[in-house]
Amino acid sequence: MSEDNVAADQLRLFIERIERLEEEKKGIADDIKDVYAEAKANGYDTKTMRSIVRLRKMESHARQEADALLETYRNALGLD
């Protein structure tokens, strides 16, 4: 087998792996969408839930910094 064939086979395998992972990612995204729909049907505010999920991903110091900045902007605009 020539080097070109080996490289082409390797490239094909990479592409196929990416395609499988993209399918899995789509499936997971659909599952997440279903969970939010279920929560909404049970009376929960999904926009707030998405915010909480985003905040929980953040490290504590980053979350505190974002909170402080938001508070500063709210005070500047008289939203308190």
Side-chain angles (χ1 to χ4, degrees):
M1 194 179 262
S2 72
E3 276 188 38
D4 288 339
N5 286 343
V6 171
D9 286 343
Q10 188 178 41
L11 176 59
R12 182 182 48 76
L13 291 173
F14 283 134
I15 296 299
E16 288 173 356
R17 282 174 55 198
I18 290 168
E19 289 171 341
R20 279 193 305 275
L21 290 169
E22 288 289 342
E23 269 304 308
E24 290 177 25
K25 184 169 75 170
K26 183 187 178 306
I28 290 170
D30 288 343
D31 291 346
I32 291 170
K33 184 178 174 182
D34 291 344
V35 172
Y36 279 115
E38 183 179 347
K40 185 175 183 174
N42 281 288
Y44 292 97
D45 181 72
T46 57
K47 185 176 179 181
T48 303
M49 289 176 62
R50 288 179 192 279
S51 294
I52 294 296
V53 169
R54 187 173 48 255
L55 288 171
R56 287 172 54 114
K57 288 180 186 178
M58 297 172 75
E59 292 188 17
S60 178
H61 71 277
R63 188 170 49 249
Q64 290 170 352
E65 185 177 318
D67 287 343
L69 190 55
L70 179 62
E71 185 67 23
T72 300
Y73 283 19
R74 289 178 62 174
N75 287 336
L77 296 173
L79 296 175
D80 284 334

